[in-house]
Amino acid sequence: VSSPDDVNFRKYTKDEINTVFYSIYEFLHKKYTMFFKISYVFQIICNTLSITHASLFDSLDYENKKYVLIGITNEIGIDITKNKNFV
């Protein structure tokens, strides 16, 4: 039997993280299109799952990473994929 404190130590699979990401992304993007920011999705997921932004991004599959990169580009107004330091 796990206690509520055990949630902070739970490890999530990449599939679980991708499912959570896409579900939240899709819901917020459709419902709040005018006010939507990908950074909100990241913060919600990182806080809820107790993971870092880097861990979240590294766990995302290609399609979800694409949503993130497009979202960040829209938020800051610069295509970050064209930066010579982009990995």
Side-chain angles (χ1 to χ4, degrees):
V1 178
S2 59
S3 72
D5 293 335
D6 293 337
V7 171
N8 293 330
F9 301 108
R10 184 176 184 311
K11 299 285 184 189
Y12 297 93
T13 66
K14 287 186 176 196
D15 286 340
E16 289 172 323
I17 291 172
N18 276 282
T19 299
V20 168
F21 176 85
Y22 186 74
S23 298
I24 293 172
Y25 169 85
E26 184 177 41
F27 174 78
L28 292 177
H29 190 259
K30 284 182 180 177
K31 186 155 176 94
Y32 302 104
T33 303
M34 289 181 60
F35 305 104
F36 178 81
K37 289 189 175 190
I38 197 68
S39 55
Y40 297 162
V41 174
F42 255 71
Q43 201 58 47
I44 290 167
I45 295 169
C46 290
N47 288 346
T48 303
L49 302 183
S50 296
I51 59 176
T52 65
H53 288 85
S55 295
L56 172 56
F57 188 78
D58 289 345
S59 296
L60 296 178
D61 60 23
Y62 175 80
E63 286 301 314
N64 286 333
K65 281 184 180 177
K66 192 165 73 171
Y67 294 133
V68 171
L69 296 175
I70 291 169
I72 291 172
T73 295
N74 290 338
E75 282 183 33
I76 64 174
I78 299 169
D79 186 351
I80 61 171
T81 63
K82 293 188 181 201
N83 184 326
K84 66 179 180 180
N85 295 325
F86 181 76
V87 177

